[in-house]
Amino acid sequence: QVQLVESGGGLVQPGGSLRLSCTASGFTFSYYAMSWYRQAPGKERDLVARISAVGGQTTYADSAKGRFTISRDNAKTTVYLQMNSLEPEDTAVYYCCATYQTWARRLDYWGQGTQVTVSS
């Protein structure tokens, strides 16, 4: 059974930091690109950061560049999102996503989300 379990969300003051974790099970983690998305109330779910399955190439949304860092530990089947200099605009539910893609098909697995609230 595929599972993605996020943790590390919470309430933080502006300028603060949080580290989100997503631990995966039920599939071959190292084969999958891993991403963090977020969805604020009334808005669409947007990509925040992505790390490739091989090579660890990273991609960031403009809003995350310079503040957020995505990393993965294949031995622990876990992906992380270190978030620094948080702003109220970062308030959202953050979702972990595992993607396996070939020329023939694409598979996405999602976690249940973790709430991040940035407020004084």
Side-chain angles (χ1 to χ4, degrees):
Q1 180 181 359
V2 172
Q3 278 194 311
L4 294 170
V5 180
E6 297 105 332
S7 60
L11 173 64
V12 64
Q13 292 188 342
S17 297
L18 282 175
R19 187 195 195 202
L20 305 183
S21 300
C22 171
T23 299
S25 60
F27 62 96
T28 306
F29 181 79
S30 61
Y31 288 3
Y32 285 68
M34 298 301 298
S35 302
W36 287 96
Y37 286 75
R38 69 186 183 187
Q39 187 167 21
K43 296 189 176 181
E44 294 185 352
R45 189 175 298 189
D46 292 325
L47 177 68
V48 177
R50 180 182 182 275
I51 186 166
S52 64
V54 178
Q57 286 90 0
T58 57
T59 304
Y60 295 93
D62 287 343
S63 59
K65 288 178 182 176
R67 299 188 300 129
F68 295 1
T69 302
I70 188 170
S71 60
R72 64 189 295 160
D73 185 334
N74 287 347
K76 296 183 178 179
T77 66
T78 299
V79 62
Y80 305 96
L81 186 67
Q82 177 67 44
M83 303 187 294
N84 300 327
S85 303
L86 283 162
E87 304 166 351
E89 293 74 22
D90 296 316
T91 296
V93 178
Y94 283 71
Y95 297 91
C96 173
C97 178
T99 300
Y100 178 77
Q101 186 164 18
T102 68
W103 65 272
R105 67 173 185 167
R106 173 175 173 146
L107 275 175
D108 289 317
Y109 299 130
W110 292 89
Q112 82 288 351
T114 185
Q115 176 70 47
V116 171
T117 302
V118 185
S119 176
S120 55

